Amino acid sequence: MLWVHFMCLWFISLYGLHLLYREYSEILVKRIQQVRNLRHRPDQFTTLVREIPVCGEHEARGCCVDHFFSKYHPYSYHSYKMLYDGKNIEDLSKQARYVHEKVQGLRKKCEGKKHGKESDECRDDLLKITGLEEKLEELCRKIRQLQSEDMLKGKELPVAFVTFKSRWGAAMAAQTQQHTNPLLWITEMAPEPSDVSWRNLSIQYKILPVYKIGVILAATLLTIFFAVPVTAVQGIAKFEKLKKWFPPAMAIEFIPGLSSVVTGYLPSAVLKGFIYIVPFAMLGMAKLGGSISKSKEEIKACNMVFYFLLGNVFFLSLISGSLLDEIGEYVSHPKNFPSHLAALVSSQADFFMTYILTEGLSGFSLEVLQPGLLIWDFIKSRTYCRGKEKDLYLYSLQYFRIIPIVSLSILIGIVYAVIAPLLLPFLIVYFFLGYAVYINQIQDVYETVYDTCGTFWPFIHHYIIVAIILMQITMIGLFGLKSKPAASVSTIPLLLLTIMFNEYCKIRFLPAFRSHSIQNAVENDEFDEKSSEVEHSFDKAIEEYLQPCLVPVSFTQSDSSLYQPLITSW
Amino acid sequence: MLWVHFMCLWFISLYGLHLLYREYSEILVKRIQQVRNLRHRPDQFTTLVREIPVCGEHEARGCCVDHFFSKYHPYSYHSYKMLYDGKNIEDLSKQARYVHEKVQGLRKKCEGKKHGKESDECRDDLLKITGLEEKLEELCRKIRQLQSEDMLKGKELPVAFVTFKSRWGAAMAAQTQQHTNPLLWITEMAPEPSDVSWRNLSIQYKILPVYKIGVILAATLLTIFFAVPVTAVQGIAKFEKLKKWFPPAMAIEFIPGLSSVVTGYLPSAVLKGFIYIVPFAMLGMAKLGGSISKSKEEIKACNMVFYFLLGNVFFLSLISGSLLDEIGEYVSHPKNFPSHLAALVSSQADFFMTYILTEGLSGFSLEVLQPGLLIWDFIKSRTYCRGKEKDLYLYSLQYFRIIPIVSLSILIGIVYAVIAPLLLPFLIVYFFLGYAVYINQIQDVYETVYDTCGTFWPFIHHYIIVAIILMQITMIGLFGLKSKPAASVSTIPLLLLTIMFNEYCKIRFLPAFRSHSIQNAVENDEFDEKSSEVEHSFDKAIEEYLQPCLVPVSFTQSDSSLYQPLITSW
């Protein structure tokens, strides 16, 4: 019987790898097509340059960029835009916005009162308004002064966006080592303007590794010690204790049935709540990680959340003790890992079946109803935004939350595919439901903030590879437990094959997701030349990389740009 | 007392890292200078291109290269040279050389006999000579026919050398991804013509990983199981057994004192002999690894020999059992490694002191006397080259043998620096002696075959880092053994610091050793423009990459090129 399992394992693994390969190449084709469709986007002409040294002559970095690129990229260099430290300006414009809001509030109040009697108060208000408006004018003047070129020169960051006359030039510059010291003149592909994480670009490049290591460390600690606060809260949230500390809770006992619901579901609700918050916490951490673009932050958060879920939903459901003990055990006795895992996995099949069911039903209905946003908006409108006009909101799809959760379901499905195939029909229902829900959400609910042209895929591919490897390790352990050492040993080549397949995919596909190849760049350039649009594209490119602090201030017009349409048609 | 050791450990580690950093930057400066000095070398204008697809129209790869590079590198592309499968030609020219030698032998014999009486035999010989000369002419004609362009077209390999009009163009092309599929049109820096490993370039790129993994596997197996044949031979080579199997050996017993020398030194001589052979075996394996240049083969062999010596000289001297058991032990209980290592290391200080002494005295005297070459030459002249004129020889410095042996001494010195500092004076004597010997050998004995401009240094740096990390792990174990857990724990940050320093060096220095930066390339180009030499350099470049099988054949002149001067003056 076990040999049937063995054949199944090989079949599922190999077929899985085959599908992964096909999917990867299809997505690559789509990516290249999408890059061509979006060929007028300014990021294709632009590279981000960091660690620009100060020019000795002019005591500035700007001229240095110009010298460097016109010397070393003579055929394609076009222009550059320095980045500036805009903290002062941002502070001032925050003040200005605050004053502006106050003025508008007073004006509205006054308008409302004009119909009434208190014209005295109104006169006071009008005086206040003129005072505030003078202050606002003063602030705007200051901001404009700071935004002038002379003032900015002293606040240059060693970062610039450099545009080229062709995609070829930008791709060349982004992929080559410019300076003998690889830590100067670091070039990389620029993200699209709406995707740039301006705050992170002002972080010094030298300190960046500290940020990165810090974020990884924080995420690891959160993953390992997440269970501690959860069990603590679960301990407190027991109904018996609740009764002691919060006597009104006794009322629950009088309603028949409710008490058992509370005692049964409260701990699991607490866990769910914590897990719901984690992706947002991880995204917050990832934002501190110094990525140059929002999409990279989100990818980073995606990875962290996936490993968090793997540790705290998958492994913690399997084991009884704490995650730390388990990791310690595996590090000191790595040999026992497969058999231990196999024993645990095979005993918990039922649990994961219910997990998939509840996750499917509750998760997707929550996705459709968006209670998180609803509650957040409710709290906001009742507290610090009380009385203000509500900003209508349009958010982007939360990749950092959705991809890891779906990937975890895939992982559970793959791990149990051989051991407990009864789980698979549930998973199919889950995916059908998910498909319907997310197609709807993506088309009608969320806004497209940035387009990475498929750079999320390599990470999803990685998660699936992790799932396949976990399945194989589990099966190695299981064959060992059932005393079939021959089957156990003959699974090891499959494991090696999977790892080698992953390495092959990294070599074959990943470079095309990291940078634009010279061939594609030149082909897109030629496409433009045929339709003689090129002039237009690269001329506009540099203008679109406008730092938020350099946006001209004006409070005279009504700020209608805040009100975006709830549904846009892409 | 242990805290003194602790302070010493920190001091030695940090000072070591400081020196490593200084050395790395100095060598980088020297490398850049050397690249500038050698700026007329053809490899600076050339990139090696692999996996060239077949052009659909012309059914050939050559035109494809021309199209591709003139389209995608329009500003700098100059010309290309395809590589061909030259197995047939090589076979034929081997035959031709054999026939030529036979002719010359007969002619000499005949000349010697002319003075004697047997003119009959001489006449037969002369007939033979004319027959052979006709055959030789036929072979040469065939070779020339095969070397003609029409015949070569069908034997194109998907490999070409492409030259550019400037170093800038070559650097750009070598560092960028050309095609959307990163496994087509793979470009890399070309090695200098005399350094190219032509045989490996004909290996299909797809099979290359198999070769690489095979070589690593073979080297690992040799490292782990090296002790098995050695102990077997040592078992056989015992004097008692020798007497039984080879009775004449009994004579040794009659010479007083000799018997004890034989029994005492025979096993160690056997071990030495085996260890002496290993670097050559490793180089042989590395040559199968598919590297594009001889220097890369030698670097690969260097790495393999270093790890071999680390395992079979350092670790095997420490432990009593086999290396395999020990590795198994460490994999299943990694926690015990430091304390185990510490206990072993501290007990074997005396052994390594004598090792350094004997290695210094015997190793360097052997290096000066070159017995290996002497014996090899002797055997050659007595067997298959018997009677032939001897080729005078000039070899290159055997980096693959010398660097690992010296690195091992450095490793022993660093590991024992804190535990048994008495070893250090011996090491200083060793290094002084070594300096004197190698300066002499490099200046007067060996020939410079290729110049990598310092690409060996990053590997030596790596070996020293390995040594420092081993020292730190040993000390962590030692502090644990002496029940100073505080000192043990506070050494861990030092270990992390060392690893992070290594990572930093990789980012800071390594890229400049792997490729030429755009800045350097352009500066060298400008240097040429000032002295208006550029035309000359890149025009000649492609001619120098002449495949050995395409060298025109001629046996009419005397092949005086074989006789190189024993000492050349560089």
Side-chain angles (χ1 to χ4, degrees), chain B residues 362-374 437 441:
Chain B
S362 71
F364 292 134
S365 56
L366 288 180
E367 175 62 40
V368 173
L369 295 173
Q370 305 248 339
L373 272 182
L374 213 66
V437 167
Q441 299 294 93

Side-chain angles (χ1 to χ4, degrees), chain A residues 263-309:
Chain A
T263 45
Y265 283 101
L266 203 56
S268 124
V270 166
L271 178 66
K272 280 265 165 197
F274 269 96
I275 286 180
Y276 185 79
I277 297 166
V278 162
F280 299 96
M282 290 287 193
L283 183 68
M285 283 200 272
K287 280 191 176 165
L288 297 175
S291 302
I292 59 162
S293 63
K294 290 170 197 157
S295 57
K296 280 190 183 152
E297 279 164 8
E298 219 163 318
I299 286 173
K300 215 176 241 178
C302 223
N303 283 333
M304 298 188 317
V305 173
F306 175 74
Y307 284 109
F308 170 83
L309 291 179

Side-chain angles (χ1 to χ4, degrees), chain A residues 21 24 458 461-462 465 498-514, chain B residues 177 182-183:
Chain A
Y21 183 84
Y24 219 145
H461 172 92
H462 176 74
I465 289 280
T498 310
I499 293 169
M500 273 164 61
F501 169 80
N502 192 26
E503 292 305 312
Y504 173 74
C505 282
K506 273 187 200 163
I507 298 169
R508 170 70 183 80
F509 297 112
L510 206 53
F513 281 84
R514 290 237 171 97
Chain B
Q177 186 196 336
L183 296 182

Side-chain angles (χ1 to χ4, degrees), chain B residues 340-397:
Chain B
H340 193 60
L341 186 66
L344 290 171
V345 163
S346 50
S347 67
Q348 290 283 340
D350 293 340
F351 171 81
F352 281 110
M353 215 177 287
T354 51
Y355 172 82
I356 292 287
L357 260 180
T358 55
E359 181 61 38
L361 291 176
S362 71
F364 292 134
S365 56
L366 288 180
E367 175 62 40
V368 173
L369 295 173
Q370 305 248 339
L373 272 182
L374 213 66
I375 294 167
W376 177 244
D377 199 54
F378 182 77
I379 293 170
K380 226 166 72 175
S381 67
R382 295 285 134 177
T383 54
Y384 79 98
C385 290
R386 194 170 184 168
K388 284 185 197 169
E389 273 182 82
K390 267 160 77 180
D391 302 348
L392 298 178
Y393 49 82
L394 250 184
Y395 292 100
S396 140
L397 184 67

Side-chain angles (χ1 to χ4, degrees), chain B residues 50 77 170 185 202 228 287 289 340 374 394 420 427 505:
Chain B
R50 311 187 77 167
Y77 168 67
W185 297 102
S202 63
V228 178
K287 282 193 174 163
H340 193 60
L374 213 66
L394 250 184
L427 209 67
C505 282

Side-chain angles (χ1 to χ4, degrees), chain B residues 186-482:
Chain B
I186 302 158
T187 50
E188 56 190 309
M189 269 169 57
E192 57 175 316
S194 62
D195 191 19
V196 177
S197 173
W198 298 100
R199 209 174 45 83
N200 282 340
L201 285 180
S202 63
I203 298 171
Q204 272 189 49
Y205 194 81
K206 277 175 196 163
I207 318 175
L208 225 54
V210 179
Y211 279 74
K212 275 182 193 163
I213 293 171
V215 167
I216 291 169
L217 218 70
T220 313
L221 288 180
L222 179 59
T223 304
I224 293 176
F225 294 107
F226 173 73
V228 178
V230 171
T231 43
V233 174
Q234 280 176 335
I236 293 166
K238 267 179 191 151
F239 187 57
E240 289 73 39
K241 283 193 181 169
L242 260 187
K243 272 194 291 184
K244 237 186 254 170
W245 294 354
F246 185 63
M250 252 191 302
I252 291 168
E253 273 190 336
F254 299 114
I255 305 164
L258 192 62
S259 139
S260 65
V261 169
V262 168
T263 46
Y265 284 102
L266 203 57
S268 123
V270 167
L271 177 67
K272 280 264 162 196
F274 268 96
I275 286 180
Y276 185 79
I277 298 166
V278 162
F280 299 96
M282 290 286 193
L283 183 68
M285 283 199 273
K287 282 193 174 163
L288 298 175
S291 303
I292 58 162
S293 64
K294 289 169 198 158
S295 57
K296 280 191 182 152
E297 279 164 8
E298 220 163 317
I299 286 173
K300 215 175 242 179
C302 223
N303 283 333
M304 298 189 315
V305 173
F306 175 75
Y307 283 110
F308 170 83
L309 291 179
L310 185 65
N312 284 295
V313 174
F314 186 73
F315 277 110
L316 213 62
S317 310
L318 290 178
I319 59 179
S320 47
S322 86
L323 209 57
L324 190 65
D325 293 344
E326 206 70 7
I327 292 171
E329 176 75 16
Y330 292 153
V331 168
S332 52
H333 301 286
K335 260 189 189 170
N336 303 344
F337 181 63
S339 56
H340 193 60
L341 186 66
L344 290 171
V345 163
S346 50
S347 67
Q348 290 283 340
D350 293 340
F351 171 81
F352 281 110
M353 215 177 287
T354 51
Y355 172 82
I356 292 287
L357 260 180
T358 55
E359 181 61 38
L361 291 176
S362 71
F364 292 134
S365 56
L366 288 180
E367 175 62 40
V368 173
L369 295 173
Q370 305 248 339
L373 272 182
L374 213 66
I375 294 167
W376 177 244
D377 199 54
F378 182 77
I379 293 170
K380 226 166 72 175
S381 67
R382 295 285 134 177
T383 54
Y384 79 98
C385 290
R386 194 170 184 168
K388 284 185 197 169
E389 273 182 82
K390 267 160 77 180
D391 302 348
L392 298 178
Y393 49 82
L394 250 184
Y395 292 100
S396 140
L397 184 67
Q398 290 164 334
Y399 295 106
F400 61 95
R401 193 169 59 80
I402 290 161
I403 290 176
I405 288 176
V406 175
S407 298
L408 186 73
S409 299
I410 296 173
L411 183 130
I412 292 169
I414 290 176
V415 169
Y416 279 103
V418 186
I419 300 171
L422 214 67
L423 200 142
L424 297 180
F426 292 96
L427 209 67
I428 289 171
V429 173
Y430 173 89
F431 283 125
F432 269 116
L433 213 68
Y435 183 75
V437 167
Y438 283 117
I439 283 289
N440 170 60
Q441 299 294 93
I442 290 167
Q443 284 190 342
D444 300 336
V445 176
Y446 294 116
E447 193 196 24
T448 312
V449 172
Y450 52 76
D451 192 339
T452 61
C453 303
T455 33
F456 274 90
W457 172 254
F459 297 91
I460 301 172
H461 172 92
H462 176 73
Y463 305 150
I464 298 174
I465 289 279
V466 167
I468 292 176
I469 287 175
L470 258 184
M471 165 177 75
Q472 288 163 357
I473 291 176
T474 311
M475 290 309 288
I476 289 173
L478 201 69
F479 290 138
L481 282 185
K482 305 278 175 184

